[in-house]
Amino acid sequence: MVLLAPLRASARVGVSRTRLPPPPLSAARYFASSVIARQSAPVKQRLHSDSVLFPGAVNSKFTNELKFQRPQDLPAIPTYRLIDTHGEVVDKSREPDVSQELALKMYKDMVTTSIMDLLMYESQRQGRISFYMVSAGEEGIAVGSAAALSPDDVIFSQYREQGVMMYRGFTLDEFMNQLFANKFDYGKGRNMPVHYMSEKLHIHPISSPLATQIPHSVGAAYALRLDQSSRIVVCFFGEGAASEGDFHAALNIAATRSCPVVFICRNNGFAISTPTLEQYKGDGIASRGVGYGIDTVRVDGNDIMAVREVTMRAREMALKEQKPVLVEAMSYRVSHHSTSDDSFAYRAKVEVEDWKHRDNPITRMRKWLECKSWWSGDQDQELRTQVRKDILKAFARAEKEKKPALENLFLDMYKIPGRDLEEQMAELRRIIEEYPDEYDLEAFDRGKEGL
């Protein structure tokens, strides 16, 4: 984005040569112009310098040894963790700084998400909802990151962030209303299931096209920077989305414009049916952040406490230093990509079952809670029984509700519908009245009167 200086008077009217004084800058525009002025300061090559001091490669040492940089010669970016697969703290001097109340909320939100996923997957197979995507194996990334953010931070998510919404207070009724696209759905039935949104919770609507939320999040972060806000933007996506051009454009803009955005990439091993080994040759997604000049960290996505700590630090850096941060969270996708996918066509079932039982974020955190005597098997069974009941009750309530009124087919394009839309509404009403037996409107709010 380039901010243009005001046109001269002669350029505007083509007559007078008088140069008018520029209008006073708002605080936001003054801040932006000062940032650009600093960023465009000239870079000069010093005489007899031992380094390249050039805009394209600042401070690169000269060498007389011809050597190509080989990726395999460089160490892989390490993966940060606090708690191992047995639920034990790796470094006893660095016990997670979290209260029992917060820890139990995080655990319960993960459990609730996993049970909801299972029930909704089964309901799709029964034909009661049209589509669903589960987040099995990745609950720790969603809930752990959400626990580290301010409630006012802006979220751009993909489609496995049920745990983020759960943690922020999105209710079971709100989940079910969206899945059934009933009259209480915030999207008014216009979007696919699992495409949640919440203006109250500062969560933008999920979009089906892959990776479109990444540049959107950068634009929002740039706006917050210009407003000198105390909020940041957090953008979630999978490693498959990082193969899209939107990812590269977004990271480059975020880095060059110093946007306060935290990118959280869920690297779950598969982009639909394509394993990571066939997606890229480099060191995961984290290496790309470094390539774009972005502070980057890789974290064990099955360790919810490590995810929380990393996200807290990333948020602090993004806000105080006004710059982007990339977090790559590693967690195996133990579910099918969606209800439209059969993952056993491209991976062994025994591999999936091994990951389910050997290590997942819910089991790991339960072991840690039990080691601290904060949780027990009886409590766990009681929680799961109650959560299942609550979800089924919300499911039943949402399933009985009417679909949004037919008028929503034409609304929200403009603040006030134009004549062309009113004519289309009238034509639809005429057809329905002329052929009443062809249109069953009982399922829609207010029936024919809703048009």
Side-chain angles (χ1 to χ4, degrees):
M1 181 182 293
V2 177
L3 299 180
L4 301 178
L7 292 175
R8 294 182 301 171
S10 59
R12 289 197 299 269
V13 300
V15 177
S16 172
R17 303 288 294 181
T18 304
R19 189 180 185 88
L20 299 179
L25 291 175
S26 65
R29 289 192 63 195
Y30 176 82
F31 178 73
S33 62
S34 63
V35 168
I36 293 173
R38 291 196 302 272
Q39 290 178 339
S40 59
V43 177
K44 298 180 180 179
Q45 179 75 49
R46 297 188 304 273
L47 190 62
H48 305 305
S49 174
D50 66 346
S51 305
V52 174
L53 194 58
F54 186 74
V58 178
N59 201 27
S60 172
K61 295 291 185 182
F62 287 119
T63 178
N64 59 1
E65 179 186 2
L66 176 57
K67 181 180 180 182
F68 289 89
Q69 299 298 313
R70 293 158 47 92
Q72 58 267 40
D73 294 338
L74 301 174
I77 295 173
T79 300
Y80 180 71
R81 67 161 40 167
L82 283 172
I83 300 172
D84 64 18
T85 58
H86 303 292
E88 298 179 359
V89 178
V90 178
D91 182 353
K92 302 301 182 183
S93 67
R94 302 193 65 250
E95 182 76 24
D97 182 18
V98 60
S99 67
Q100 181 177 358
E101 180 182 10
L102 177 57
L104 291 179
K105 172 175 171 49
M106 294 167 67
Y107 178 73
K108 290 176 182 178
D109 284 345
M110 283 201 296
V111 170
T112 303
T113 298
S114 68
I115 295 175
M116 182 180 74
D117 278 351
L118 179 61
L119 291 175
M120 293 306 101
Y121 190 93
E122 292 174 350
S123 72
Q124 191 279 336
R125 289 296 188 249
Q126 296 170 3
R128 299 170 79 174
I129 62 174
S130 62
F131 180 78
Y132 197 77
M133 301 185 78
V134 306
S135 57
E138 300 168 62
E139 301 93 343
I141 299 172
V143 176
S145 58
L149 303 174
S150 166
D152 291 334
D153 289 335
V154 181
I155 301 291
F156 285 81
S157 60
Q158 196 164 357
Y159 37 61
R160 299 194 200 279
E161 278 68 58
Q162 293 94 310
V164 174
M165 307 197 72
M166 191 85 65
Y167 186 89
R168 284 209 164 183
F170 205 68
T171 67
L172 292 175
D173 284 308
E174 289 174 308
F175 277 113
M176 299 303 144
N177 291 337
Q178 198 284 326
L179 293 172
F180 280 103
N182 64 31
K183 66 180 183 179
F184 296 116
D185 171 23
Y186 297 139
K188 301 183 180 180
R190 297 167 178 156
N191 219 332
M192 291 176 62
V194 305
H195 288 50
Y196 310 109
M197 59 185 290
S198 176
E199 184 177 1
K200 177 181 66 176
L201 300 178
H202 309 290
I203 300 175
H204 282 252
I206 295 171
S207 180
S208 289
L210 200 61
T212 54
Q213 78 276 15
I214 310 178
H216 295 166
S217 70
V218 174
Y222 190 60
L224 293 180
R225 176 182 175 86
L226 295 182
D227 287 342
Q228 302 183 57
S229 173
S230 60
R231 307 157 70 195
I232 69 161
V233 174
V234 181
C235 180
F236 294 88
F237 54 92
E239 92 287 340
S243 296
E244 296 286 334
D246 282 350
F247 166 84
H248 298 279
L251 263 67
N252 194 46
I253 294 172
T256 56
R257 290 299 174 208
S258 302
C259 300
V261 53
V262 174
F263 299 109
I264 299 181
C265 174
R266 295 175 283 94
N267 193 333
N268 61 23
F270 295 89
I272 306 182
S273 58
T274 307
T276 52
L277 294 178
E278 297 178 17
Q279 291 181 54
Y280 54 76
K281 289 286 290 183
D283 180 20
I285 307 304
S287 61
R288 303 182 192 181
V290 175
Y292 280 110
I294 295 176
D295 288 10
T296 300
V297 64
R298 177 177 287 155
V299 63
D300 183 349
N302 285 344
D303 181 353
I304 190 172
M305 291 302 174
V307 172
R308 175 177 174 269
E309 182 181 5
V310 161
T311 308
M312 288 176 62
R313 188 73 60 85
R315 183 189 186 276
E316 181 182 1
M317 292 166 60
L319 182 60
K320 289 186 177 180
E321 302 176 40
Q322 289 293 290
K323 64 182 181 182
V325 181
L326 173 62
V327 176
E328 183 184 22
M330 317 300 287
S331 185
Y332 188 86
R333 192 193 84 201
V334 297
S335 65
H336 304 298
H337 176 74
S338 71
T339 50
S340 301
D341 173 51
D342 177 12
S343 66
F344 298 139
Y346 52 85
R347 61 180 182 176
K349 187 173 183 179
V350 64
E351 173 186 325
V352 178
E353 292 301 318
D354 178 59
W355 276 100
K356 279 184 181 179
H357 298 98
R358 177 164 52 86
D359 183 33
N360 68 73
I362 297 177
T363 301
R364 193 187 299 193
M365 188 176 188
R366 186 179 72 243
K367 291 177 180 178
W368 178 76
L369 290 170
E370 291 173 348
C371 287
K372 295 178 70 65
S373 300
W374 285 0
W375 198 244
S376 66
D378 290 341
Q379 288 175 299
D380 202 70
Q381 184 58 48
E382 182 181 349
L383 169 67
R384 291 174 180 275
T385 301
Q386 186 60 50
V387 165
R388 184 181 176 86
K389 291 179 180 178
D390 292 342
I391 293 172
L392 291 176
K393 288 179 182 178
F395 182 95
R397 287 191 294 268
E399 191 176 28
K400 294 176 182 177
E401 293 293 344
K402 300 278 189 179
K403 300 295 183 183
L406 290 177
E407 64 184 1
N408 289 291
L409 289 168
F410 304 94
L411 300 181
D412 300 329
M413 291 290 291
Y414 305 96
K415 184 175 182 181
I416 300 176
R419 187 174 63 182
D420 58 337
L421 286 178
E422 291 181 349
E423 291 174 352
Q424 292 176 38
M425 292 176 69
E427 177 66 8
L428 178 58
R429 191 180 299 111
R430 182 193 67 78
I431 293 174
I432 291 174
E433 291 175 349
E434 186 173 350
Y435 305 99
D437 296 337
E438 300 297 326
Y439 298 93
D440 182 7
L441 305 183
E442 280 297 314
F444 295 89
D445 187 33
R446 307 200 314 274
K448 187 177 69 174
E449 300 305 317
L451 184 53

